[in-house]
Amino acid sequence: MHDDRTLTEERLDRALRERIRPAVHPRTAPLVFEVWHAPGEPVPFAEAVAAPYKPGAIGDDWGPAWGTSWFRVTGRVPADWAGETVEAVIDLGFARDRPGFSAEALAHRPDGSVVKALNPRNTWLRIGEPVAGGEEFRYYLEAAANPEILDGVSALGDRETAGSEPLYRVERVDVAVFDRQVWELVQDLEVLDQLMRQLPLGSARRWEILRAVERSLDSLDLEAVGASANAARQQLRPVLSSPAHASAHRLSAVGHAHIDSAWLWPLRETVRKVARTTSNVVALMDDHPEFVFAMSQAQQLDWLREHQPALYARVKEKAAAGQFVPVGGMWVESDTNMPGSEALARQFVYGKRFFLEEFGVETEEVWLPDSFGYSAALPQLVALSGSRWFLTQKISWNTTNPFPHHSFLWEGLDGTRVFTHFPPVDTYVAELSGKELAHAEKNFRDKGHATRSLVPFGWGDGGGGPTREMLARAGRLADLEGSPRVTIEKPADFFAAAEAEYDRPPVWLGELYLELHRGTYTSQARTKQGNRRSELLLREAELWAATAAVRVGFPYPYAELDRIWKSVLLHQFHDILPGSSIAWVHREAEATYARIAGELEAVIEAAQRALAGAADGAGTVVFNSAPHGRAGVAAGGAALASEQRERPVEAEAYDGGFRLDNGLLRVTVDARGLVVSVVDLVAGRETVAPGCAANLLQVHPDLPNRWDAWDVDAFYRNTVTDLTGADVVRRSGDGVEVVRTFGSSRVTQLLTLRPGARRLDIDTEVDWHEQEKFLKAAFPIDVRADHSTAETQFGHVQRPTHTNTSWEAAKFEICAHRFLHVGEPGWGAALINDSTYGHDVTRTVREDGSTTTTVRLSLLRAPRYPDPATDQGVHRLRYALLPGATIGDAVREGWQFSLPERRVPGSAAVAPLVTVDEDAVVVTTVKLADDGSGDVVVRLHEAHGGRVSARLTAGFALAGASVTDLLERPLAEESAEVAGDFVRLRLRPFQIVTLRLTPSEDA
């Protein structure tokens, strides 16, 4: 036979495009519509329905960026359409190729109730099925003119700079007959066409489908598509009814709509995107009882509860019926690299509790498809939250090393293992196309051991979620020869089956490092500082409010802390904290963090004043919020200020610069303002590598190939400018002030050596006005370190400093929290910081055979997309060099550097609520129990990486103690060993323990 394959394929393309798809709505009539352009921010329905509308016409422009226009659409079903299915078909100028990044609308009835949304791939509103003819109808469409910000530098990312030009044009507002037979024919042909094109040319199945399509088109009257659609479908039934191979891959299809809580739109627009998507979902469920939809992010459902209570009630009904499935167990799909220990735990606390209280559901699947890498602390937190499974897709974005598994056990810092799945379809917004499903089957890396994977389907980010077309595909692909078997089911059903069939899954130990988006550790420094500051202030507020509540009856601010925690957790979303959102988002975040800081400072001040007692005009009480004692003040306690007798710092001019000496360190700053020597006088060892200078500021060009705010590409290191010129180098108290200018920027640094301290503090103020540049601070350390140790949540991770394999080479930018340590047996050094996350570590061997290990902090970037003015302006960054440091020293100094003592007028010392007798055990939080019982909740962990036995002593009469999960529920398999007012602890490396302590009634 001749190969006429292309002839038939092209014939099908044209027939679908020009004849069959248009015939889905064979009869149409224009609708009357009017428009009201709302000034400013979105308004409630009641205000919109009473607004003055003006007549509209097809072709009208509407919508300045971020504006809202209300369309009042009125019509009557033609009498001769009786018995037909009738829809309104509306196109407000949607960009069909970019669902989720275009205009959207939410349709309301005149009484304000929600119908469904209109999106680029979902432009219909069902009027009746069937209609009687003559029905009148009216809809109010709340249309959002969200700009597309996907292509380079744009001023559209903030309403303040976006301008007033309209972005969209009304294309179609019709009432139309919906021909179901033609629509079904379209679905038949599209499924077979997509499957056929994925099959090998030598496959008999491919040619069987081709001939069936050919016969179907021969049976179709192109002048009367509706009348001949059934005949055309009959020709396809044999190939559509042929069952899948026995060994066909099994795909669990889960309806989903990944909605970024902020990204290329502000938070307020996400509130509306959630309403639009969920309205589509529940409407689709009415017609398709088999449809299952999974939604993560408790915050988004909480927005729905607040802003759309009637729609939220419908969601809860569908959840009770098992169709709408809460997943994820977190408040938002947060970044997991940068949130602090307690904040990452609270993501689970607030998310799980919301789903329990609102839906009665104990979510077991942690659903994080799009975050930018996954902390090694997560498996333990997943387990302690009461969850069992973990899902992500993002690691498929790796640019260097394909991840070797799709289903596996992920082992965390402490040894906890969680069954984990990466959908091999390599997308979290699938449309169930033949290409996607073929890729999932071919790509699946666990063949021979496992037979199933998961595919999340539905348009995300405001694209409207799953569509009726996707459900039609799923139905046809349930058991179809040549395709994987597709079953719509709940994520828990997939995970239970996948885990059961995989007898001995492979194990991945440690973090899931994303080989992409490394710039997110640094972009938008103010957002990152706001996050770190908020986390620390929340720690202090809970600690001192709980202490004051137990000691003096201070009213614990449950509601206020709850509200603030939710706001902080929201801003840890994976496009806010990473710095990859538009200017509007980060402008609002900065204002939110400032407000939070004021509120928490007020809580802290009130609690500390209540504890400090009456001030006699001369007394001062020193409060220590850090988890280790210092200067005679216990951790979590307060003492009357006393005069410290430390050796004063000697500061003298030296060789054109200055030398500082406090008896523990001797620091030499040369005439360039660079640190050329830091001698650890205790160990008798030089810290700075020979011939090098520490605290060397370096500037690199920074124009990644793609994803400006997200990425730094390895080639940035090929070009560097060392900032060695100084405008000012002078004494300032016990330190040295250095001022430099470069490009359009200015940096002022104060290098301080304090009495009794084994660290050099560096306070840096940068007035930053560079574009597409990367600012680093380099510390070349005279140490041979084959790995670095970086603090992460509830512990630390070690990463190789060498590049033996592509896996190590890919980690050229890494994340650390308060410290990054390098060392060799007997001696090491650490860099600690107050708000910097990005770091890099490199090593060179000198001519004498010794090794220089250079640690650099990533201070500032200046990407131009999606925020053209990222990080422009003044920043204050604090960091310190800690020579002679062990891991324990780095842990302790990292906390103390971030939590300076507070001094309050008063006369009363304050005993800690709890004390721990082991330095390796770090208490991350002390608070009152969330249920208002008055119990004291303490969360702690082993921080050095070894086994430890310790004793926790309660500073109050103890009636009882229990070990709980993160949600403060007793763990049946764990019990607290209580003796009097103390609890014995035995912890494995990096183990997290939450204790619930019940005070005695007569305490």
Side-chain angles (χ1 to χ4, degrees):
M1 294 292 292
H2 300 295
D3 184 353
D4 58 353
R5 170 178 48 88
T6 302
L7 184 68
T8 301
E9 291 171 352
E10 291 180 352
R11 178 189 179 190
L12 174 59
D13 285 344
R14 183 172 185 184
L16 279 168
R17 183 176 62 252
E18 297 185 11
R19 293 291 193 273
I20 308 174
R21 291 193 190 103
V24 169
H25 293 111
R27 287 184 281 174
T28 65
L31 293 172
V32 173
F33 69 92
E34 303 157 285
V35 186
W36 174 63
H37 304 293
E41 286 295 282
V43 301
F45 176 81
E47 182 177 340
V49 77
Y53 285 75
K54 295 182 178 179
I58 300 300
D60 282 355
D61 292 331
W62 68 279
W66 308 116
T68 300
S69 295
W70 284 81
F71 292 81
R72 183 163 63 195
V73 179
T74 305
R76 180 192 298 270
V77 176
D80 61 349
W81 291 5
E84 301 282 8
T85 298
V86 176
E87 298 177 339
V89 182
I90 299 171
D91 184 349
L92 300 177
F94 303 129
R96 287 185 56 82
D97 60 331
R98 291 180 174 180
F101 303 95
S102 177
E104 308 166 51
L106 183 63
H108 301 76
R109 300 179 184 90
D111 64 1
S113 60
V114 170
V115 184
K116 63 179 287 290
L118 296 169
N119 308 92
R121 303 283 183 93
N122 194 336
T123 61
W124 56 274
L125 299 172
R126 179 64 51 78
I127 294 171
E129 184 180 13
V131 296
E135 295 97 328
E136 294 183 348
F137 56 89
R138 172 172 287 179
Y139 297 114
Y140 288 86
L141 312 179
E142 182 191 20
N146 299 331
E148 298 181 61
I149 313 175
L150 288 171
D151 299 314
V153 179
S154 173
L156 294 173
D158 197 330
R159 187 157 197 160
E160 295 181 353
T161 58
S164 58
E165 291 298 313
L167 302 179
Y168 296 101
R169 177 172 296 173
V170 179
E171 300 289 345
R172 182 180 185 183
V173 183
D174 289 341
V175 61
V177 169
F178 174 73
D179 190 321
R180 181 166 296 280
Q181 275 297 329
V182 175
W183 183 85
E184 296 285 4
L185 175 61
V186 171
Q187 311 317 310
D188 291 346
L189 289 170
E190 286 185 346
V191 164
L192 290 171
D193 182 38
Q194 292 172 6
L195 172 60
M196 175 178 66
R197 292 173 189 262
Q198 297 304 314
L199 295 171
L201 284 179
S203 162
R205 175 66 169 164
R206 177 165 184 156
W207 290 91
E208 289 170 1
I209 294 173
L210 184 79
R211 296 307 170 208
V213 167
E214 186 177 54
R215 291 191 297 271
S216 176
L217 293 176
D218 288 344
S219 300
L220 188 69
D221 184 346
L222 296 179
E223 301 302 320
V225 172
S228 57
N230 187 55
R233 294 192 69 200
Q234 293 299 323
Q235 297 297 328
L236 301 174
R237 286 187 177 175
V239 289
L240 281 169
S241 61
S242 182
H245 297 302
S247 61
H249 187 66
R250 297 177 182 273
L251 281 170
S252 296
V254 178
H256 184 52
H258 176 78
I259 303 177
D260 286 319
S261 289
W263 179 28
L264 303 181
W265 47 85
L267 288 168
R268 67 91 155 143
E269 193 55 36
T270 313
V271 174
R272 301 202 294 177
K273 285 177 180 286
V274 169
R276 291 188 285 258
T277 297
T278 52
S279 70
N280 282 348
V281 167
V282 295
L284 204 55
M285 288 174 178
D286 289 339
D287 296 333
H288 297 273
E290 80 284 4
F291 173 41
V292 171
F293 179 83
M295 186 169 179
S296 64
Q297 305 195 71
Q299 170 69 88
Q300 295 187 358
L301 286 164
D302 197 35
W303 279 332
L304 194 67
R305 178 178 65 168
E306 176 185 355
H307 296 278
Q308 295 284 355
L311 180 55
Y312 183 68
R314 294 182 66 198
V315 166
K316 294 190 74 171
E317 290 174 4
K318 297 300 184 184
Q323 287 186 272
F324 196 107
V325 182
V327 293
M330 298 175 75
W331 189 246
V332 295
E333 289 183 10
S334 76
D335 178 79
T336 74
N337 290 310
M338 291 174 284
S341 299
E342 189 59 25
L344 196 55
R346 298 294 176 97
Q347 287 285 354
F348 290 95
V349 170
Y350 279 89
K352 294 274 291 191
R353 185 171 290 148
F354 181 88
F355 292 135
L356 278 166
E357 292 177 353
E358 289 294 313
F359 295 89
V361 173
E362 176 86 42
T363 54
E364 294 187 299
E365 319 87 346
V366 176
W367 189 277
L368 281 176
D370 191 33
S371 298
F372 308 148
Y374 302 93
S375 164
L378 273 172
Q380 187 177 189
L381 292 174
V382 170
L384 287 174
S385 73
S387 295
R388 298 173 55 189
W389 304 304
F390 184 83
L391 178 140
T392 184
Q393 180 270 325
K394 199 68 173 187
I395 301 299
S396 71
W397 289 40
N398 275 3
T399 56
T400 306
N401 299 284
F403 197 80
H405 318 297
H406 281 110
S407 291
F408 59 98
L409 293 177
W410 180 19
E411 182 177 327
L413 285 174
D414 71 314
T416 299
R417 291 180 174 181
V418 173
F419 187 79
T420 298
H421 181 66
F422 293 172
V425 70
D426 284 347
T427 180
Y428 42 81
V429 288
E431 54 181 316
L432 300 182
S433 70
K435 183 177 182 180
E436 290 169 340
L437 303 192
H439 175 75
E441 183 169 38
K442 180 180 179 181
N443 188 41
F444 187 55
R445 296 192 178 95
D446 298 286
K447 297 181 184 74
H449 300 284
T451 64
R452 63 186 73 230
S453 66
L454 185 146
V455 51
F457 69 94
W459 301 118
D461 285 333
T467 64
R468 58 188 181 185
E469 289 78 14
M470 294 177 191
L471 294 181
R473 287 182 203 133
R476 287 160 172 79
L477 293 165
D479 190 15
L480 183 61
E481 183 186 353
S483 170
R485 286 188 173 89
V486 175
T487 303
I488 294 178
E489 61 182 351
K490 298 177 183 178
D493 293 338
F494 159 76
F495 272 108
E499 189 175 28
E501 77 167 356
Y502 211 159
D503 184 43
R504 296 173 62 188
V507 177
W508 182 271
L509 172 64
E511 69 181 330
L512 295 171
Y513 178 91
L514 178 64
E515 297 172 357
L516 194 71
H517 294 357
R518 304 167 182 90
T520 57
Y521 311 147
T522 306
S523 296
Q524 297 287 1
R526 294 184 188 89
T527 298
K528 291 172 170 56
Q529 286 185 320
N531 174 72
R532 181 81 69 88
R533 183 183 185 191
S534 298
E535 291 175 344
L536 294 168
L537 288 172
L538 276 163
R539 171 193 171 86
E540 291 190 90
E542 289 183 334
L543 169 65
W544 300 123
T547 304
V550 173
R551 295 275 185 260
V552 299
F554 180 80
Y556 192 81
Y558 290 100
E560 186 174 6
L561 292 173
D562 181 79
R563 173 180 52 80
I564 292 172
W565 262 117
K566 288 176 179 176
S567 185
V568 172
L569 298 179
L570 165 60
H571 286 81
Q572 290 176 342
F573 177 75
H574 66 252
D575 275 308
I576 303 179
L577 180 54
S580 48
S581 288
I582 55 174
W584 190 343
V585 173
H586 293 289
R587 172 172 55 81
E588 288 190 332
E590 187 174 353
T592 297
Y593 285 131
R595 185 188 72 249
I596 285 171
E599 292 171 341
L600 291 174
E601 290 284 3
V603 171
I604 294 165
E605 180 181 8
Q608 289 183 337
R609 286 188 178 277
L611 287 164
D616 58 9
T620 300
V621 180
V622 180
F623 286 80
N624 176 21
S625 302
H628 303 90
R630 57 180 164 186
V633 184
L640 292 173
S642 61
E643 186 174 338
Q644 299 296 314
R645 299 180 179 275
E646 298 284 0
R647 169 181 162 171
V649 175
E650 298 176 2
E652 61 181 359
Y654 180 82
D655 196 21
F658 297 92
R659 175 170 283 174
L660 309 175
D661 189 325
N662 68 354
L664 300 172
L665 297 179
R666 184 170 65 239
V667 178
T668 303
V669 180
D670 70 7
R672 302 170 297 171
L674 299 176
V675 177
V676 293
S677 175
V678 179
V679 178
D680 176 355
L681 297 173
V682 176
R685 177 159 176 167
E686 173 63 64
T687 305
V688 181
C692 297
N695 191 39
L696 173 65
L697 297 178
Q698 298 179 305
V699 178
H700 297 271
D702 184 19
L703 184 64
N705 289 342
R706 196 179 178 205
W707 301 109
D708 292 16
W710 292 258
D711 288 351
V712 288
D713 289 336
F715 55 73
Y716 87 87
R717 297 176 297 182
N718 297 345
T719 306
V720 61
T721 300
D722 294 341
L723 302 183
T724 57
D727 303 331
V728 175
V729 180
R730 62 187 173 207
R731 279 276 305 276
S732 179
D734 289 339
V736 178
E737 182 184 38
V738 181
V739 180
R740 308 182 194 277
T741 53
F742 58 97
S744 301
S745 303
R746 175 185 176 92
V747 59
T748 301
Q749 293 190 301
L750 183 62
L751 286 67
T752 305
L753 185 61
R754 304 185 187 281
R758 291 188 63 178
R759 72 180 195 227
L760 174 65
D761 291 359
I762 302 166
D763 195 324
T764 301
E765 181 178 279
V766 186
D767 190 5
W768 180 246
H769 296 284
E770 305 307 301
Q771 294 285 350
E772 296 168 346
K773 295 290 191 293
F774 198 2
L775 180 65
K776 293 259 189 177
F779 290 80
I781 310 298
D782 189 11
V783 67
R784 181 175 176 81
D786 61 5
H787 68 266
S788 65
T789 302
E791 186 187 41
T792 189
Q793 300 92 349
F794 298 105
H796 56 254
V797 292
Q798 293 183 340
R799 302 181 180 101
T801 58
H802 59 76
T803 56
N804 282 0
T805 73
S806 59
W807 291 90
E808 287 97 31
K811 295 180 181 180
F812 59 82
E813 183 78 4
I814 56 177
C815 184
H817 284 206
R818 279 174 290 263
F819 73 81
L820 192 145
H821 179 276
V822 292
E824 56 194 31
W827 194 88
L831 279 177
I832 60 178
N833 71 83
D834 75 340
S835 59
T836 296
Y837 296 94
H839 296 73
D840 73 87
V841 183
T842 54
R843 58 194 295 278
T844 57
V845 176
R846 306 190 296 268
E847 290 184 1
D848 66 357
S850 299
T851 302
T852 299
T853 302
T854 300
V855 180
R856 297 198 301 170
L857 296 97
S858 303
L859 301 182
L860 292 169
R861 299 185 66 220
R864 302 185 65 209
Y865 174 77
D867 176 4
T870 299
D871 280 332
Q872 300 301 293
V874 177
H875 303 267
R876 186 186 176 197
L877 308 160
R878 295 174 57 246
Y879 47 92
L881 174 64
L882 189 65
T886 63
I887 297 298
D889 295 330
V891 171
R892 182 181 60 255
E893 292 290 336
W895 277 105
Q896 293 183 356
F897 189 72
S898 296
L899 286 167
E901 300 161 324
R902 290 180 182 264
R903 294 176 175 266
V904 177
S907 56
V910 181
L913 277 188
V914 295
T915 56
V916 180
D917 67 353
E918 170 57 56
D919 196 55
V921 177
V922 170
V923 174
T924 57
T925 194
V926 177
K927 61 188 283 292
L928 294 193
D930 291 339
D931 61 7
S933 63
D935 288 357
V936 175
V937 171
V938 180
R939 191 147 27 247
L940 50 84
H941 71 285
E942 194 289 319
H944 294 182
R947 291 185 178 272
V948 67
S949 296
R951 185 168 78 171
L952 179 142
T953 303
F956 49 88
L958 192 60
S962 60
V963 179
T964 74
D965 66 6
L966 297 181
L967 278 70
E968 302 168 11
R969 303 174 295 190
L971 290 173
E973 65 275 16
E974 300 281 351
S975 61
E977 186 179 341
V978 182
D981 291 335
F982 66 85
V983 180
R984 295 189 183 277
L985 302 169
R986 294 176 179 84
L987 279 70
R988 65 181 178 271
F990 305 126
Q991 183 180 0
I992 303 166
V993 172
T994 303
L995 293 172
R996 184 170 181 140
L997 310 177
T998 302
S1000 173
E1001 291 184 2
D1002 55 358

